Amino acid sequence: MTAESDDHITLGIETSCDETGVSVVENGRTIRSNIVASQAELHEEYGGVVPEVACRAHVEAILPVLEEACEVAGTSLEDVDLIGITRTPGLIGSLLIGVQAAKALSLSLGKPMMGVDHIQAHLFSCAFAAHTSGDCTIDQIPFPQIGLVVSGGHTGLYRMTGHGDYERIGSTIDDAVGEAFDKVAATLGLSYPGGPSIERAAKDGDPTAIDFPRPMMDSGDYNFSYSGLKTAVLYHCRDRWDVEEDPPPENAVPDIAASFQEAAIDSLIGKVETAVEEHDARAISVGGGVAANQRLRTKLNNLVRERNLDLFIPPISLCTDNGAMIAGNAYYLAQTQDPDRLDMDAVPTR
Ligand code: KG4
Ligand code: ZN
């Protein structure tokens, strides 16, 4: 199957961290392909992303992932009408691989290129997912909203008054929440990335077994802190076992995982709840890899039910880093903005 000539095809490219993602989106709403090459195995032995390793892996993955995305979509590069590319924030070496690929495609195909903000794309993916699934159109999404972006690199709370109109009202003062899941998983001898393995282990554990701290719950602002919680888990283990040598015994892991997960999520929920109240929000949007967590989803669902709000969380494939959210956001931006020029920079911090 090939695209009809009047279909608008957006190619979305994402390389800001350790996932090489390319997606083909038709008319801004139908995801024809969404291919992600994860580097998780490469970074596993380090318990976190190594920037230089990530950058080299993107170089190797970008062309095969691009070819696969076109093949699965039944699209040739000549059919592409717009190239969306993550330009900020992220690891500079990783961002540059995607940005250079997008520039090369734009120049050689003579097609426009739109730089996309990765955080905005995570927030936009909530509206995009509702739109692609037919739940509501992008124009029907209610505002103001509170946006929560929770990933391996970011933990931020945003007041959103429209798509792309957002103000950061809080963020982590140290580790990102996903990073805390990854580091605690390493302490517990669980595999990387830590989020899914902690969640799996926590299923057999008691979330009230250990009273880990809920960091900054009463700080009076919207900031988060995860470094102290991570250290509390380490000290809990160190006091009982020689964790420098071996991970804690298998039968102790579920309670620690469940108690850590509960503390990490409680501090997210506490801030979201206050923000919703103080900003008269009508909805909550959540993006980033940690949004895949079922315990977080359950607690958010309870919160919106109690307060009669809408909740927008994308399916897991659109929560973690992917090219579809970049294509969707680029298409939306292109309705009102000129494309970027070839001298566009990759910018590591916003
Ligand atoms: O958004 P993402 O794919 O990449 C970044 O921009 O960082 O998020 C990856 C992060 C990792 O830290 C991973 O451990 C976490 O999201 N994560 C989870 C879950 N799935 C992924 N954290 C908690 N529970 C999960 N189920
Ligand atoms: Zn991300």
Side-chain angles (χ1 to χ4, degrees):
M1 190 179 69
T2 54
E4 298 291 325
S5 56
D6 56 352
D7 285 331
H8 182 285
I9 297 293
T10 311
L11 188 70
I13 303 176
E14 157 62 40
T15 64
S16 67
C17 189
D18 64 337
E19 257 109 28
T20 317
V22 181
S23 167
V24 173
V25 170
E26 186 184 306
N27 299 328
R29 66 172 301 161
T30 307
I31 300 171
R32 295 175 61 123
S33 64
N34 189 18
I35 309 298
V36 178
S38 169
Q39 304 174 5
E41 273 178 28
L42 287 178
H43 302 288
E44 165 135 37
E45 68 176 291
Y46 309 103
V49 178
V50 183
E52 178 64 21
V53 173
C55 170
R56 284 166 190 267
H58 283 305
V59 173
E60 284 171 17
I62 188 82
L63 288 180
V65 171
L66 175 66
E67 274 166 20
E68 192 181 342
C70 287
E71 196 180 310
V72 170
T75 308
S76 77
L77 283 175
E78 284 70 36
D79 295 329
V80 170
D81 297 293
L82 174 69
I83 300 154
I85 172 66
T86 307
R87 64 177 290 259
T88 189
L91 302 170
I92 186 63
S94 293
L95 285 169
L96 279 171
I97 306 307
V99 166
Q100 293 305 337
K103 287 182 179 178
L105 287 169
S106 175
L107 187 64
S108 59
L109 300 169
K111 298 295 166 69
M113 171 186 78
M114 184 68 84
V116 172
D117 176 316
H118 183 83
I119 300 297
Q120 183 175 322
H122 270 307
L123 293 172
F124 184 81
S125 70
C126 302
F128 180 56
H131 188 61
T132 56
S133 66
D135 288 348
C136 64
T137 68
I138 286 192
D139 300 333
Q140 289 168 334
I141 305 279
F143 291 100
Q145 290 197 11
I146 291 302
L148 176 69
V149 177
V150 276
S151 72
H154 312 281
T155 305
L157 207 54
Y158 301 84
R159 176 173 189 271
M160 299 161 66
T161 47
H163 301 296
D165 292 327
Y166 65 92
E167 174 203 355
R168 191 169 71 190
I169 56 174
S171 61
T172 179
I173 60 165
D174 41 53
D175 292 354
V177 59
E179 197 180 346
F181 271 89
D182 295 335
K183 288 180 177 163
V184 167
T187 302
L188 299 182
L190 301 172
S191 62
Y192 176 85
S197 28
I198 294 238
E199 183 169 10
R200 262 192 312 275
K203 286 212 168 78
D204 301 320
D206 172 5
T208 63
I210 305 149
D211 188 19
F212 287 129
R214 269 67 176 156
M216 295 189 70
M217 280 285 258
D218 302 314
S219 61
D221 57 23
Y222 295 121
N223 290 332
F224 305 93
S225 165
Y226 282 99
S227 161
L229 173 59
K230 170 194 73 184
T231 309
V233 176
L234 180 64
Y235 286 178
H236 173 90
C237 296
R238 239 194 228 163
D239 288 349
R240 287 160 182 81
W241 308 286
D242 183 7
V243 282
E244 304 295 334
E245 285 298 314
D246 290 306
E250 257 176 51
N251 62 358
V253 169
D255 279 354
I256 305 173
S259 302
F260 158 75
Q261 177 174 261
E262 200 69 2
I265 290 172
D266 277 352
S267 40
L268 292 176
I269 296 288
K271 298 284 162 128
V272 171
E273 191 165 10
T274 318
V276 158
E277 199 171 294
E278 291 183 357
H279 292 277
D280 284 329
R282 297 173 60 197
I284 301 171
S285 281
V286 190
V290 181
N293 187 283
Q294 288 304 328
R295 186 76 183 138
L296 175 63
R297 286 174 176 246
T298 302
K299 290 203 161 197
L300 284 165
N301 270 308
N302 294 343
L303 177 64
V304 296
R305 207 171 312 116
E306 276 164 25
R307 292 179 175 264
N308 202 19
L309 304 169
D310 283 321
L311 176 63
F312 296 95
I313 308 193
I316 290 171
S317 61
L318 294 179
C319 283
T320 47
D321 289 352
N322 66 89
M325 68 179 187
I326 304 303
N329 202 355
Y331 178 87
Y332 180 78
L333 293 173
Q335 310 306 306
T336 54
Q337 279 181 30
D338 288 338
D340 283 297
R341 298 176 355 165
L342 287 177
D343 62 358
M344 182 191 85
D345 280 333
V347 180
T349 49
R350 292 167 52 243

